[in-house]
Amino acid sequence: MTRVLASCVECGSIYAARQWPDGSVKLIGQEGCSCGSTAFAVIDDADDPGSEPSSSGG
């Protein structure tokens, strides 16, 4: 299992979650979103070169 950020597909709220090997995403510490949805999409920016810290410092 991997810790990820997950976005609610209904309202866009962001939560800490775990992604299981079967691909399912479960929020950490709660069953679902505050809007009532239980469907989440993993936010994946690990492959985005712009997400790496800059070594130039600004």
Side-chain angles (χ1 to χ4, degrees), residues 6-17 25-41:
S7 172
C8 174
V9 299
E10 295 295 324
C11 73
S13 292
I14 307 297
Y15 295 94
V25 177
K26 304 291 184 188
L27 298 186
I28 297 173
Q30 61 191 91
E31 294 296 315
C33 182
S34 59
C35 77
S37 176
T38 57
F40 299 90

Side-chain angles (χ1 to χ4, degrees), residues 52-58:
E52 296 176 8
S54 173
S55 60
S56 65

